[in-house]
Amino acid sequence: LPSIMMWTVIGAAILLLAIRLLGGPVGWNRFLGGIPIVGPMFHFAGVAQMLRLLRVLLAQEVPLPEALRLTSTGTASANMRLVADWLAEQTAAGHSLSALMASTPRIPASILPIVEWGEKNQ
């Protein structure tokens, strides 16, 4: 029985290492985000960090596409870096931030009314 437990622990460690190495930062973040109970908290922490950075930059009147690019470089979550980069490209092309955020499941829907209000009220 102890040897079965030891091999189970070793196998789990190898599996986690493979996910981390082969999946890269994005794969690892998606793996962590898929863990029940803890995963959503991990994901929302990344979203909150991204939005805090974006808010600070916009308060300093940095143009939205540039603020999103800078937010991407300062965000720890690899998933949120991808989202911020995508948002930067799309807003630079003239698309609405709220419409873009509404189109991705990576941004919680509860944030959308705040972003829409901000777009209307500068």
Side-chain angles (χ1 to χ4, degrees):
L1 186 64
S3 65
I4 292 173
M5 289 178 26
M6 179 184 72
W7 285 111
T8 302
V9 169
I10 290 172
I14 290 171
L15 178 64
L16 290 174
L17 184 62
I19 291 170
R20 178 68 177 115
L21 294 177
L22 298 176
V26 174
W28 183 248
N29 277 1
R30 289 190 179 153
F31 170 75
L32 291 176
I35 298 172
I37 299 172
V38 194
M41 290 188 300
F42 178 76
H43 175 72
F44 288 130
V47 172
Q49 181 189 37
M50 181 187 84
L51 294 175
R52 277 192 305 269
L53 290 170
L54 183 59
R55 178 183 55 89
V56 168
L57 292 166
L58 292 176
Q60 296 302 311
E61 299 183 5
V62 175
L64 181 59
E66 182 62 19
L68 286 161
R69 281 188 207 90
L70 292 170
T71 295
S72 172
T73 62
T75 299
S77 167
N79 278 331
M80 290 302 103
R81 284 195 301 270
L82 289 176
V83 169
D85 284 336
W86 176 74
L87 290 171
E89 290 173 16
Q90 296 300 312
T91 56
H95 298 284
S96 158
L97 180 62
S98 60
L100 292 168
M101 286 182 161
S103 71
T104 178
R106 294 183 185 177
I107 301 292
S110 59
I111 302 220
L112 298 177
I114 298 166
V115 175
E116 289 169 351
W117 179 86
E119 286 177 335
K120 291 176 186 170
N121 297 293
Q122 297 295 327

